[in-house]
Structure formats: structure tokens, C-alpha cells
Amino acid sequence: MKIQEFCNMKKFEGTMSNWAKATGLATVAVGADGKYISACYNFTDFCIKLTRGCPEGKKRCEHCDATGNGVYECHAGLIDFGIPIMLNDGTVLGNITGGQVLPEQPDENKFRETAQELGINPDQYIRALNKVTVKTREEIESAANLLGDVINMFVQSSYIEYMNSNIIRELESGISKIVNDVANVTSETKNLKSFASKQKILALNASIKAARAGEHGKGFEVVAKEVQKLADNMRGTSENIDKYTDELIDITAKLANAFK
């Protein structure tokens, strides 16, 4: 399952954007398939254009992306973070990654050495480095954890709402079927009552004719009595069906109202 299938991505993006503006840290959300599911916020030229812009830097960055967890120092000397986006059952749907900040004022000589290793112009690298936000490690960890908590709560609540909506749709469909079935039972019960009434009339006529036939009609009179009993039983059965059907209609109506 993908986050985009059940989340309001406009609100998701809004949370990411507001957090990036408030903290000055970079961030992006990545799905379980490794593809971006949000825009990139506050990405620095130091990271994107220069470090990731060269073959060796890109290789090292991708290794950090794959292995980095929580708040960690990347190969270039900046602080990054990686926080899983998870459902309550432990299913991982993606990750929030970002950071691209310094934990303290940088040692330029150290970064010049890194630039030379990566084949980047050292002066250009330092100019980009001086534009990177400086935060204490505690501030970085707090900001990263806050974003992780907010995004995970939003994703989990969206998933629960999505699943509940599916359950309600299925129950509503089931209730509609019950209503149709009850209507069919009611119709058949009416036919049963009509048949029972006709049987009763038939039995009564047979009894009259048997009485008129005297001795010769005794056997027919026995049959007429049995038909009468059958008609009475059918009427009693149809009345019970009516009772149970009324109860079922009442319960169904209460269920329907509850779900609405």
C-alpha cells in the first residue's frame, strides 16, 4: 500500500513545507519503493548541486541514504536524519529524510580536503558551505523527531479513517442486501397467507360436502380436517415469519442509522 492511496497529500506536503520553513532544515518524503512522494524542501546547493553533483559524492550520499537511521553525520560532515513512516502494525510505508545542517561552525580546512577528494572546486564548496544553517545537535534531533511524530500521526489517522470508510461501505452494502432480502421474504409471506386462506376455505367446503355425503364421506372428512390443520399451521408459521421479519427490519434500521 502507498501513502498516496489514503492520505490527503496536500496536507502532507503542507506539514513538510511548514516544518522546513520553521526549522530551516531540509526534508523530503520517500516511499517504500524509493521514489519521492513529496517536494524537496530547503535542499542546499552544498548537498544537491555540489556533493551529489559529482560521481563520487553521489555514490557516498546514496550509501548514507541507504544506511542512515535516526540523526547521523553524513560523509560530507553535515547532520542528516532518516525516520521511517510506519503504520501501527509496524508496516513501513516510506521514510522522511533530510537535515543538511551543521552542528557547529565548520572547520573550513576539513571541508576543503573533502572537496578535493570529491573533485569539487574548494572555493566554490566553501561558499556553499557558508550558506548552510547551523543548529546544535539537540535542536536537530528535536526538530527531526517532531516531524517524524507529526507525519506518522497524520499517516496513521488517515489510514484508520480510510479503513473505517471501507468497512462502513461494506456494511452499508450488506444492510442494503438485508433490506432487499426482507422485502422478498415479506412478499413470499403474503403469498403463504393467501395460500393458507384458500386452503382453509377448501377444507371448509370439503367438510360440508363430506357431511352431506353421510357414511360415504367419512374418509373425505378426515382429509378435510388434515387440510384444515395444515392451513392453520401455515398461518401460524407466516405470523411467526412476520414477527421475526419485523424484528430484523427494526435491527437493520438501527444499524443503518448508527453508521450514518
Side-chain angles (χ1 to χ4, degrees):
M1 176 168 286
K2 295 181 178 180
I3 294 172
Q4 305 93 305
E5 294 175 8
F6 60 86
C7 265
N8 182 327
M9 294 309 292
K10 185 175 181 181
K11 290 184 178 180
F12 186 99
E13 291 274 0
T15 300
M16 300 282 287
S17 175
N18 289 334
W19 177 89
K21 291 174 183 176
T23 63
L25 278 68
T27 188
V28 65
V30 182
D33 57 2
K35 296 180 179 178
Y36 288 164
I37 58 174
S38 78
C40 299
Y41 298 100
N42 278 348
F43 272 41
T44 63
D45 289 346
F46 178 88
C47 287
I48 300 304
K49 291 185 178 179
L50 298 176
T51 307
R52 287 181 184 265
C54 67
E56 180 59 26
K58 182 180 179 183
K59 179 181 175 182
R60 295 183 185 184
C61 286
E62 288 176 346
H63 176 73
C64 286
D65 292 342
T67 59
N69 185 38
V71 178
Y72 62 92
E73 183 175 334
C74 76
H75 71 95
L78 301 190
I79 299 297
D80 287 341
F81 64 83
I83 299 174
I85 303 173
M86 300 173 62
L87 297 178
N88 288 325
D89 63 1
T91 301
V92 177
L93 301 176
N95 284 279
I96 307 166
T97 62
Q100 299 182 17
V101 289
L102 288 162
E104 57 188 9
Q105 292 299 326
D107 179 350
E108 291 190 4
N109 291 328
K110 178 182 176 182
F111 282 92
R112 284 183 182 276
E113 291 175 4
T114 301
Q116 290 174 346
E117 287 179 14
L118 300 177
I120 302 171
N121 182 296
D123 291 334
Q124 187 179 8
Y125 208 49
I126 296 302
R127 284 196 296 272
L129 177 67
N130 289 331
K131 295 180 182 179
V132 174
T133 301
V134 178
K135 297 275 188 182
T136 66
R137 191 177 184 92
E138 184 180 6
E139 289 175 322
I140 297 167
E141 289 179 351
S142 296
N145 290 333
L146 174 63
L147 179 61
D149 289 344
V150 171
I151 288 295
N152 272 297
M153 283 190 287
F154 175 68
V155 169
Q156 288 164 10
S157 65
S158 296
Y159 180 74
I160 291 170
E161 183 179 353
Y162 170 79
M163 293 303 295
N164 285 345
S165 295
N166 286 343
I167 291 170
I168 288 171
R169 279 196 294 271
E170 290 178 8
L171 286 170
E172 286 178 340
S173 175
I175 288 171
S176 296
K177 187 177 184 306
I178 289 172
V179 170
N180 290 333
D181 289 345
V182 168
N184 291 333
V185 169
T186 301
S187 176
E188 292 300 321
T189 303
K190 288 180 180 178
N191 292 335
L192 187 62
K193 284 181 179 179
S194 175
F195 185 58
S197 295
K198 290 177 181 178
Q199 272 194 319
K200 194 168 185 178
I201 292 170
L202 178 63
L204 180 61
N205 289 335
S207 295
I208 293 171
K209 289 181 180 180
R212 288 175 181 174
E215 188 68 24
H216 299 290
K218 285 185 177 181
F220 194 54
E221 185 179 2
V222 172
V223 174
K225 287 180 179 179
E226 291 301 319
V227 171
Q228 177 69 43
K229 288 180 182 178
L230 179 60
D232 290 339
N233 288 338
M234 289 176 65
R235 175 168 293 279
T237 299
S238 65
E239 288 174 354
N240 286 336
I241 292 173
D242 279 343
K243 176 185 174 183
Y244 298 139
T245 301
D246 288 342
E247 290 177 357
L248 184 58
I249 290 172
D250 184 55
I251 292 170
T252 304
K254 288 177 180 178
L255 279 173
N257 289 331
F259 284 111
K260 286 179 183 179

